[in-house]
Amino acid sequence: MTNSEEKLPESKATYPRAILPDVYLLGYNSPLSYGGNSWFIVHEKGNWMIDSPRFVPQLVEKINELGGLKYIFLTHRDDIADAALYAKQFSAERIIHKYDNDAQPDAEIVIEGKEPKQFSKDLLIIPVPGHTRGHMVLLWKNQVLFTGDHLALDRKSGKPYAFRDYCWYSWEKQTESMQRLLDYSFEWILSGHGQWGHLSKQQMHDELAKLVKEMGS
């Protein structure tokens, strides 16, 4: 028996992993997304996947148990993985920004411009160009920010952090995008890469302001 086979029952039992009520870490990270995290929201108007894990029957089964899947929010071109397979399996609609749309050209919903889009009363799509030109984040209930590769927490300090070495489009634009996030309230960062976690809303705002200052220096 291989190591991967030995770990499979544990993976099945562990994922999806509840992080908050109605919010799950999906696991099954895909090398096609550089091992990035994918997330799941149970929502009264249809469930959301944020970025894509590997397509595996075990996870399809679990998503069915959670009520299926309506939307696949793709933060940017790097973390798409098997999104098309999940879209086909669940007749779900993929959401991506126009500037990253060539990575998923048949996506059902294409966001344009840089203005926030209120998708429902508790879900706000915020374009944040920088890491890629079409990067977006998703704000849920003014509580959780699903950040893709735009923003994470530093593994040592636990403070907000941006990946300058992995900024493929524009550090200046990413700094401007980070500045705009100061207009919003949230206490959780659930990222694609790097550390994810929680700070108080005030601490999150204060530390984010410090990060913006550091990024611009």
Side-chain angles (χ1 to χ4, degrees):
M1 181 179 288
T2 67
N3 289 337
S4 61
E5 288 172 333
E6 290 173 350
K7 292 177 181 178
L8 183 58
E10 180 183 351
S11 297
K12 289 179 68 175
T14 303
Y15 295 104
R17 174 184 165 193
I19 304 301
L20 292 164
D22 298 328
V23 176
Y24 294 81
L25 175 62
L26 288 177
Y28 301 96
N29 297 30
S30 172
L32 297 176
S33 292
Y34 305 96
N37 295 319
S38 302
W39 305 91
F40 194 84
I41 302 171
V42 175
H43 195 275
E44 60 183 0
K45 293 187 177 180
N47 297 339
W48 287 61
M49 174 185 285
I50 296 90
D51 291 328
S52 176
R54 288 182 287 123
F55 186 86
V56 292
Q58 297 91 338
L59 188 53
V60 169
E61 179 182 343
K62 292 290 187 179
I63 289 173
N64 273 318
E65 291 174 5
L66 289 168
L69 178 63
K70 187 171 184 180
Y71 298 108
I72 302 172
F73 179 77
L74 299 169
T75 59
H76 66 297
R77 65 173 62 250
D78 297 346
D79 291 353
I80 286 168
D82 291 331
L85 295 177
Y86 281 103
K88 182 177 180 180
Q89 176 71 30
F90 290 99
S91 298
E93 295 181 286
R94 291 158 290 173
I95 304 171
I96 196 167
H97 196 278
K98 175 183 177 180
Y99 289 135
D100 279 10
N101 187 211
D102 59 325
Q104 197 84 164
D106 56 347
E108 291 76 16
I109 299 174
V110 178
I111 303 298
E112 298 190 31
K114 64 178 183 180
E115 294 303 314
K117 307 291 190 297
Q118 193 76 52
F119 207 91
S120 67
K121 64 181 181 180
D122 57 1
L123 284 163
L124 181 68
I125 294 172
I126 309 171
V128 286
H131 173 74
T132 65
R133 191 179 182 189
H135 202 298
M136 302 185 294
V137 297
L138 183 67
L139 180 61
W140 179 68
K141 290 188 174 181
N142 292 319
Q143 180 182 9
V144 177
L145 192 69
F146 297 92
T147 60
D149 290 359
H150 179 71
L151 176 65
L153 295 178
D154 182 77
R155 293 187 184 278
K156 292 183 179 180
S157 69
K159 297 177 181 180
Y161 176 79
F163 304 100
R164 186 164 194 163
D165 291 343
Y166 300 97
C167 180
W168 308 131
Y169 173 57
S170 168
W171 187 248
E172 180 181 355
K173 294 297 183 184
Q174 188 162 348
T175 303
E176 293 173 1
S177 296
M178 206 74 76
Q179 173 75 45
R180 289 198 298 275
L181 289 183
L182 292 171
D183 294 337
Y184 302 98
S185 177
F186 55 94
E187 56 191 287
W188 282 86
I189 287 175
L190 298 184
S191 56
H193 292 279
Q195 186 68 36
W196 53 268
H198 173 268
L199 298 172
S200 71
K201 287 189 176 183
Q202 187 62 56
Q203 186 180 8
M204 185 71 79
H205 183 276
D206 292 347
E207 295 297 340
L208 186 59
K210 293 178 185 177
L211 174 62
V212 171
K213 186 176 180 179
E214 292 170 1
M215 291 174 69
S217 62

